[in-house]
Amino acid sequence: MGNGKWDVVSDLTLVVTVPKIEPNRYYTGQMVDLYTYNFAYLGTRAFGNDGGTFLIAGPGWNGATPAGVKAVIRSETQFAYIIFRTQLFNVADLPKVNKIQAGYHAEPLSNFTPRPHPASSPSSTSYSSSARRVLLRQHCSHDSRRSTSAPGRPST
């Protein structure tokens, strides 16, 4: 089961909280930047299932790591997309997965104060108007991620 979130991470550094998940359940939070580069993962393989709070920072952020933050993860762009995938064992398991998904939480760093992991909070795909405005103004040209559409044609 998946759910995701777009947000600005340069001007609006994000704090992402992941709930504690039982040890036998696999989950992953794939982070993709504006160039569609998978720059990091939260989840079973990267950080285990104990949950935690992570700071997702854009290229211009140089602040101190707040207390209670397990790791600072850097994005090359001021936009990042996070899609969480949570293992579903069977149809009867759906309420448990929904509860876990409700525990995935993102907030601006300016709103963050360390606290226990949320047991349930609404979680859905969110396209903030500020993210759309910045995205529309953003010129996407990063040489290391350009591709040629056909042999002999210039990259776009």
Side-chain angles (χ1 to χ4, degrees), residues 5 12 14 21 29-30 49-50 66 72 80 89 96 99 115 123 141 146 152:
K5 182 171 182 55
L12 182 66
L14 291 178
I21 297 171
Q30 175 186 4
N49 285 29
D50 288 336
V72 175
F89 295 117
K96 287 182 183 177
K99 183 177 179 183
R115 62 185 171 282
S123 181
S141 61
R146 290 182 140 190

Side-chain angles (χ1 to χ4, degrees), residues 12-128:
L12 182 66
T13 302
L14 291 178
V15 176
V16 175
T17 302
V18 177
K20 185 172 182 170
I21 297 171
E22 66 265 36
N24 65 329
R25 186 181 305 273
Y26 180 82
Y27 82 100
T28 185
Q30 175 186 4
M31 289 185 259
V32 183
D33 69 14
L34 189 56
Y35 305 120
T36 67
Y37 175 69
N38 298 323
F39 65 93
Y41 289 88
L42 299 177
T44 301
R45 285 203 230 163
F47 293 98
N49 285 29
D50 288 336
T53 300
F54 305 86
L55 188 123
I56 315 304
W61 185 79
N62 292 311
T65 303
V69 170
K70 196 179 249 188
V72 175
I73 301 168
R74 304 299 298 230
S75 171
E76 283 188 33
T77 65
Q78 65 189 58
F79 280 89
Y81 184 77
I82 303 171
I83 185 164
F84 283 97
R85 294 176 182 93
T86 308
Q87 183 177 15
L88 175 69
F89 295 117
N90 55 47
V91 175
D93 189 43
L94 189 57
K96 287 182 183 177
V97 171
N98 288 338
K99 183 177 179 183
I100 292 167
Q101 288 177 321
Y104 299 136
H105 181 74
E107 65 184 313
L109 177 59
S110 59
N111 292 353
F112 175 70
T113 54
R115 62 185 171 282
H117 303 307
S120 63
S121 62
S123 181
S124 64
T125 302
S126 169
Y127 301 94
S128 70

